[in-house]
Amino acid sequence: MNRSSQTSAIILALKPLGENNSLVTLLTPAEGLVYATLYGGPKSKLRSLVAQWNSGLIWLYDNSEKKQIKITDFDVKNYHYSFRQNLFKMYAASLAAELAIKTRCAGSNEECFKLISGFFDGMELCNEEQSQVALLRFLWRFLDLLGLQPLCHDCFECNKSFLTSEFAPYSISYYNGMDNSFICPECAENINESSSMIPLKTASLQYLAAVTYLKPAEARKIAISKESYDEIKQLVFFLIENSVEQKLNSIETGIGIL
């Protein structure tokens, strides 16, 4: 990073630093996570701009002698006001931020920035119900970013496709935690450790396949039943917590909201 620079950024978190200053966690496309200091009291104009969830173009000054990065200006493009008015959106945004921080952008700064930026901007335009489904799509795509998204188009054991008419939407398939894979009912009968399996209707797998292979704009148009939503939510929350090998504060504190 040059001594003075500018970059696109999303404000993920702020922590008090002394009486009037804040330590700000930024998500940027090139550097990933950047920790910068924001100077100024409550009446500071810059302080009012550098608020959690805001995104835009930020100016930074790197003081190598003090080993400190200072925020000098911020041109906000998206304020995401609805996150402060809707509990679900607030917790969903917190979960996305927590994942970025704990996985260090899943090892892919630019892709992580694109994913979270798209998720935040999309939620701002959606109601709560639409945002709930958007969170499932985000988590499923984040698993792909981590390299931990299980293949969902065919059976891991026998290679039968879940996308053909052979599998009716109401038939049951299974997520097998032993192999991080999906298997058909016939192959599931040969698995001894049934406790590692999570059942899903084929319609739920087909929805995940659509999210995987279609463009985001196309995937958003696909309807999802309440039953599929509940099944996919159980699965992706389980997978995402397993991926970081620890409980996620946003999920723990957001029980009943997320």
Side-chain angles (χ1 to χ4, degrees), residues 2-135:
N2 296 328
R3 199 168 178 84
S4 293
S5 61
Q6 64 185 53
T7 180
S8 297
I10 304 170
I11 310 298
L12 295 186
L14 296 95
K15 291 183 179 179
L17 187 66
E19 285 189 21
N20 294 317
N21 308 323
S22 299
L23 178 63
V24 184
T25 303
L26 307 170
L27 176 61
T28 69
E31 301 289 334
L33 298 175
V34 173
Y35 299 93
T37 302
L38 172 66
Y39 290 96
K43 296 182 180 180
S44 165
K45 178 184 177 182
L46 188 56
R47 186 184 180 96
S48 66
L49 295 175
V50 182
Q52 193 174 30
W53 317 135
N54 286 0
S55 62
L57 190 62
I58 200 162
W59 279 260
L60 304 171
Y61 179 79
D62 188 358
N63 189 329
S64 55
E65 289 80 10
K66 293 185 177 181
K67 296 182 179 180
Q68 182 186 73
I69 298 172
K70 174 186 175 182
I71 298 173
T72 58
D73 203 0
F74 191 29
D75 180 14
V76 182
K77 304 296 184 183
N78 293 289
Y79 287 88
H80 302 122
Y81 287 121
S82 66
F83 294 12
R84 300 171 182 87
Q85 301 165 348
N86 183 281
L87 271 178
F88 176 85
K89 290 185 180 183
M90 183 187 72
Y91 273 99
S94 296
L95 176 54
E98 187 177 2
L99 283 172
I101 293 169
K102 287 188 174 177
T103 65
R104 300 203 63 80
C105 298
S108 181
N109 297 337
E110 185 174 358
E111 290 304 312
C112 184
F113 180 85
K114 287 180 181 178
L115 185 58
I116 291 182
S117 180
F119 177 49
F120 281 11
D121 292 349
M123 273 207 301
E124 183 64 23
L125 300 174
C126 293
N127 58 32
E128 181 172 322
E129 183 177 354
Q130 293 167 327
S131 296
Q132 289 170 347
V133 182
L135 176 61

Side-chain angles (χ1 to χ4, degrees), residues 106-208:
S108 181
N109 297 337
E110 185 174 358
E111 290 304 312
C112 184
F113 180 85
K114 287 180 181 178
L115 185 58
I116 291 182
S117 180
F119 177 49
F120 281 11
D121 292 349
M123 273 207 301
E124 183 64 23
L125 300 174
C126 293
N127 58 32
E128 181 172 322
E129 183 177 354
Q130 293 167 327
S131 296
Q132 289 170 347
V133 182
L135 176 61
L136 301 191
R137 293 196 299 266
F138 167 79
L139 293 176
W140 184 248
R141 291 173 179 139
F142 201 89
L143 287 167
D144 182 42
L145 205 59
L146 289 166
L148 296 173
Q149 184 191 89
L151 295 176
C152 57
H153 54 79
D154 55 27
C155 175
F156 179 77
E157 296 292 335
C158 69
N159 296 322
K160 288 180 184 175
S161 174
F162 295 122
L163 307 182
T164 64
S165 58
E166 179 182 354
F167 288 93
Y170 53 81
S171 63
I172 300 293
S173 301
Y174 297 86
Y175 169 75
N176 182 12
M178 298 295 290
D179 296 315
N180 189 34
S181 64
F182 292 102
I183 56 176
C184 68
E186 290 79 8
C187 292
E189 292 177 359
N190 300 321
I191 303 294
N192 294 325
E193 190 53 59
S194 60
S195 62
S196 66
M197 295 195 297
I198 298 176
L200 288 95
K201 283 189 169 55
T202 304
S204 300
L205 274 183
Q206 291 171 344
Y207 181 81
L208 290 177

